[in-house]
Amino acid sequence: MHVFPVVQVGGFNLDLSSILAIVVSGVIVFVLAKLATRNLSIRNPSKLQNFLEWVVDFVHNTIASTMPLSKVKQFIGLGMTLIMFIFVSNLLGLPFGIVTEHHEEFKLFGSTVVSQEYIDEHGGHAQVAWWKSPTADIMVNLGLATVVFFLIHYLGLKMNRKHYLAHYFKPFPIFFPLNLIEQVARPVTLAVRLYANIYAGELLIATILLLGIPGIPLLAVWQGFSIFVGAVQAFLFTILTMVYISQAIVHEEH
């Protein structure tokens, strides 16, 4: 049974493994984008440039399926950031893990990561996991979903205030409480869907590893499937974000 290195800073519990993974995800996405655009060429584009152009085209078509073409361009940057960061984050925990074993109380920055009582309860040793997919942490996903939540309502108030506020009372004013609950439920469902799929995948990988050598073929198959799941979840989070933004900023005359 693994524990994660959680430390207290200013009254907040910080999971160092999640923070490390978030930083690594951001660096990977930034480096990929930088390398792909370093030597742009129309006649002889690099393979990385071709890949990034395909991603841009894919994100453009995805956003265009949710809102008028006239509004698509301003959201391509957001869509690219979401889909690439979430996809990379979903895959970080697949190739390897970093685990340290401790036989006595382990403290970090003054916070107890592994207590002596915990070690005694687990046969005189405890394992601390320093590496995982950041999206396998519900708090990371709630953070992403919360940013999206405030962005949606900010854009609705800025770009479509009159109709945006009016939609809370449609089709009848009595539906206001239900419409309000719907808005609050959106970030929760975004976060929980992403968390459940990625966490379940990593949990199953940890279970397969317990099988030892006989589990290697099954592990290879499951990791391949996990890449597919990671791509699907990144796409779903991105397209649902764009759908919600479109509903907030686009007013259709009936």
Side-chain angles (χ1 to χ4, degrees), residues 1 114-126:
M1 182 68 177
V114 181
S115 66
Q116 190 62 50
E117 181 182 0
Y118 181 90
I119 292 174
D120 294 338
E121 290 177 355
H122 291 79
H125 71 277

Short mmCIF file of all heavy atoms in Angstrom, two decimals, residues 1 114-126:
data_model
loop_
_atom_site.label_atom_id
_atom_site.label_comp_id
_atom_site.label_asym_id
_atom_site.label_seq_id
_atom_site.Cartn_x
_atom_site.Cartn_y
_atom_site.Cartn_z
N MET A 1 0.84 -1.18 0.00
CA MET A 1 0.00 0.00 0.00
C MET A 1 0.88 1.24 0.00
O MET A 1 1.73 1.41 0.88
CB MET A 1 -0.91 0.00 1.23
CG MET A 1 -1.86 1.17 1.30
SD MET A 1 -3.12 1.10 0.02
CE MET A 1 -4.10 2.54 0.46
N VAL A 114 5.16 9.81 6.74
CA VAL A 114 4.89 8.45 7.20
C VAL A 114 5.16 8.40 8.70
O VAL A 114 6.28 8.65 9.14
CB VAL A 114 5.76 7.41 6.47
CG1 VAL A 114 5.43 6.01 6.96
CG2 VAL A 114 5.57 7.50 4.97
N SER A 115 4.16 8.07 9.48
CA SER A 115 4.32 8.01 10.93
C SER A 115 4.84 6.63 11.33
O SER A 115 4.68 5.65 10.61
CB SER A 115 2.99 8.29 11.63
OG SER A 115 2.06 7.25 11.35
N GLN A 116 5.43 6.56 12.52
CA GLN A 116 5.92 5.29 13.03
C GLN A 116 4.77 4.33 13.27
O GLN A 116 4.90 3.11 13.07
CB GLN A 116 6.69 5.52 14.34
CG GLN A 116 7.46 4.30 14.82
CD GLN A 116 8.52 3.86 13.84
OE1 GLN A 116 9.33 4.66 13.38
NE2 GLN A 116 8.52 2.56 13.49
N GLU A 117 3.63 4.87 13.67
CA GLU A 117 2.45 4.02 13.90
C GLU A 117 2.01 3.34 12.60
O GLU A 117 1.70 2.15 12.58
CB GLU A 117 1.31 4.87 14.45
CG GLU A 117 0.04 4.10 14.74
CD GLU A 117 -1.08 4.99 15.24
OE1 GLU A 117 -0.87 6.21 15.37
OE2 GLU A 117 -2.19 4.45 15.48
N TYR A 118 2.04 4.11 11.49
CA TYR A 118 1.66 3.55 10.18
C TYR A 118 2.64 2.46 9.77
O TYR A 118 2.25 1.41 9.26
CB TYR A 118 1.63 4.66 9.13
CG TYR A 118 1.23 4.20 7.75
CD1 TYR A 118 -0.10 4.19 7.36
CD2 TYR A 118 2.18 3.76 6.84
CE1 TYR A 118 -0.48 3.76 6.09
CE2 TYR A 118 1.83 3.33 5.58
CZ TYR A 118 0.49 3.34 5.22
OH TYR A 118 0.12 2.90 3.97
N ILE A 119 3.93 2.70 10.00
CA ILE A 119 4.95 1.71 9.64
C ILE A 119 4.76 0.42 10.44
O ILE A 119 4.85 -0.69 9.89
CB ILE A 119 6.35 2.30 9.89
CG1 ILE A 119 6.62 3.43 8.90
CG2 ILE A 119 7.43 1.23 9.77
CD1 ILE A 119 7.91 4.18 9.14
N ASP A 120 4.49 0.56 11.74
CA ASP A 120 4.28 -0.62 12.58
C ASP A 120 3.07 -1.42 12.13
O ASP A 120 3.07 -2.66 12.16
CB ASP A 120 4.12 -0.19 14.04
CG ASP A 120 5.40 0.41 14.61
OD1 ASP A 120 6.48 0.12 14.06
OD2 ASP A 120 5.31 1.18 15.59
N GLU A 121 2.02 -0.71 11.68
CA GLU A 121 0.80 -1.38 11.23
C GLU A 121 1.01 -2.13 9.92
O GLU A 121 0.23 -3.03 9.59
CB GLU A 121 -0.33 -0.36 11.07
CG GLU A 121 -0.86 0.20 12.39
CD GLU A 121 -1.92 1.25 12.16
OE1 GLU A 121 -2.18 1.59 10.98
OE2 GLU A 121 -2.52 1.73 13.14
N HIS A 122 2.03 -1.75 9.15
CA HIS A 122 2.26 -2.37 7.84
C HIS A 122 3.55 -3.17 7.80
O HIS A 122 4.32 -3.13 6.84
CB HIS A 122 2.27 -1.29 6.75
CG HIS A 122 0.93 -0.66 6.50
ND1 HIS A 122 0.41 0.31 7.32
CD2 HIS A 122 0.00 -0.88 5.53
CE1 HIS A 122 -0.77 0.68 6.88
NE2 HIS A 122 -1.05 -0.03 5.81
N GLY A 123 3.80 -3.90 8.87
CA GLY A 123 4.91 -4.86 8.88
C GLY A 123 6.28 -4.23 8.99
O GLY A 123 7.26 -4.82 8.51
N GLY A 124 6.38 -3.06 9.56
CA GLY A 124 7.70 -2.46 9.79
C GLY A 124 8.25 -1.67 8.62
O GLY A 124 9.42 -1.27 8.65
N HIS A 125 7.46 -1.45 7.60
CA HIS A 125 7.93 -0.62 6.48
C HIS A 125 6.74 0.05 5.79
O HIS A 125 5.60 -0.39 5.92
CB HIS A 125 8.71 -1.47 5.47
CG HIS A 125 7.85 -2.41 4.69
ND1 HIS A 125 7.46 -3.63 5.18
CD2 HIS A 125 7.27 -2.29 3.45
CE1 HIS A 125 6.70 -4.24 4.28
NE2 HIS A 125 6.57 -3.46 3.23
N ALA A 126 7.03 1.12 5.08
CA ALA A 126 6.00 1.84 4.32
C ALA A 126 6.61 2.34 3.02
O ALA A 126 7.80 2.65 2.95
CB ALA A 126 5.45 3.01 5.14
#
